[in-house]
Amino acid sequence: MTPPATNTAAPPASLCAPEKGSRRAEIALVAADQFTWRGYHSTRVEHIAEQLSVTPGALYRHVPGKYEMFRDAVATLVTALETASEHTSDVGSGPPPLEELVESITRTTWSHRSRAALYRWQARYLTPEDRAAVREVDTRVRRRLADAVRVRRRQHHRDPAGAGSAAAAMLSCVASLGQHRITLSEEEAVSLMTSIAVDLALCDGSASGVTSDATNGVPSGQATGRRTDAAAGASSVPRLRGGAATREERSPPRSPGFTGRATTA
């Protein structure tokens, strides 16, 4: 008898970031800057090598090719985001406080500000398996944020429905830090994003004037017009504005010399 057919499709591959402190991790960060600045197709291995002051051949000793450099770059950012969303304090087995979670994600995004938009705009160049892995991470991060939103809404006797949409809007706001030229410090960014997150968490979406900015997902109207006492210090921080007028005009990123023996190759 012919054995029944089995599903041999492999599960989506996980994105493994290079080990921190390794030469491959250093290459990944510089590659992320270049891919973000130039786009996937316009970036050549020579561009990455130039930023590291080495030859392309030296890079190939650590990474097989351009796609692997791109994949490492995306994996580094995605892994950092997931790690930030796993940040918890001593609050028992429940989700961390919303402000704590948003602060952790914002600080991580800020530390990668020059490259934070990479997988948002260049992910289409990943293989289907790698895109699926990115989506899985995105889903987990949104779920953790949504759980924190539900807790906050219940504390204020609000309907927890719509927590997932609020979490998506929060992530969109944080991600916009990598796409705008607005000048502010890390602490101001944290205060601003925390303020927006609290507004979104307590907004039921039924109030007049609550809309969504089609450009970057930053809510407008009542949802962002308020400030909580905890975020009163952010009142002087300018709101992010959508559109090409605020897209950051960066110069091509420069990186310090590549460390290690590969520099002499």
Side-chain angles (χ1 to χ4, degrees):
M1 296 178 61
T2 303
T6 57
N7 183 7
T8 58
S14 60
L15 286 172
C16 297
E19 182 180 355
K20 285 187 177 181
S22 67
R23 294 189 182 91
R24 185 158 180 163
E26 187 178 2
I27 294 170
L29 289 177
V30 175
D33 283 331
Q34 290 297 306
F35 286 124
T36 301
W37 170 252
R38 301 175 185 274
Y40 179 76
H41 286 304
S42 296
T43 300
R44 302 196 304 270
V45 173
E46 288 80 1
H47 292 141
I48 300 170
E50 180 184 1
Q51 298 301 310
L52 292 165
S53 301
V54 298
T55 65
L59 297 186
Y60 289 129
R61 295 180 181 179
H62 305 283
V63 192
K66 173 181 169 178
Y67 179 78
E68 288 74 20
M69 294 179 195
F70 178 61
R71 187 178 188 273
D72 282 355
V74 172
T76 297
L77 301 181
V78 169
T79 300
L81 178 64
E82 177 150 45
T83 300
S85 74
E86 293 171 340
H87 175 73
T88 59
S89 62
D90 235 348
V91 292
S93 59
L98 178 64
E99 292 89 345
E100 183 179 308
L101 194 54
V102 172
E103 176 181 351
S104 180
I105 293 173
T106 300
R107 290 192 186 280
T108 296
T109 301
W110 187 267
S111 69
H112 292 289
R113 192 179 186 189
S114 65
R115 59 188 80 96
L118 173 62
Y119 64 86
R120 187 174 187 180
W121 299 115
Q122 303 297 319
R124 61 187 180 276
Y125 299 117
L126 291 169
T127 64
E129 294 78 12
D130 289 339
R131 280 201 304 274
V134 170
R135 285 195 297 270
E136 286 183 359
V137 172
D138 181 71
T139 298
R140 289 194 293 270
V141 173
R142 289 175 188 240
R143 185 181 300 123
R144 290 164 188 155
L145 261 178
D147 288 344
V149 171
R150 291 187 187 94
V151 170
R152 177 56 56 88
R153 290 188 173 183
R154 291 190 180 101
Q155 290 172 344
H156 290 264
H157 308 289
R158 303 287 183 90
D159 186 349
S165 296
M170 292 174 194
L171 287 175
S172 182
C173 292
V174 175
S176 70
L177 290 171
Q179 303 170 58
H180 292 79
R181 66 187 182 197
I182 186 172
T183 302
L184 73 171
S185 68
E186 179 178 348
E187 295 306 317
E188 288 172 329
V190 169
S191 184
L192 175 60
M193 292 302 145
T194 301
S195 171
I196 292 174
V198 171
D199 285 341
L200 285 167
L202 298 181
C203 177
D204 60 13
S206 62
S208 175
V210 177
T211 59
S212 177
D213 187 311
T215 302
N216 57 27
V218 177
S220 59
Q222 181 176 341
T224 58
R226 301 188 307 270
R227 285 292 189 277
T228 61
D229 292 340
S235 59
S236 61
V237 179
R239 285 293 185 187
L240 301 183
R241 295 180 291 109
T246 58
R247 188 170 297 279
E248 187 165 2
E249 297 175 358
R250 304 188 188 94
S251 298
R254 294 291 303 178
S255 301
F258 189 41
T259 59
R261 288 174 293 177
T263 55
T264 60

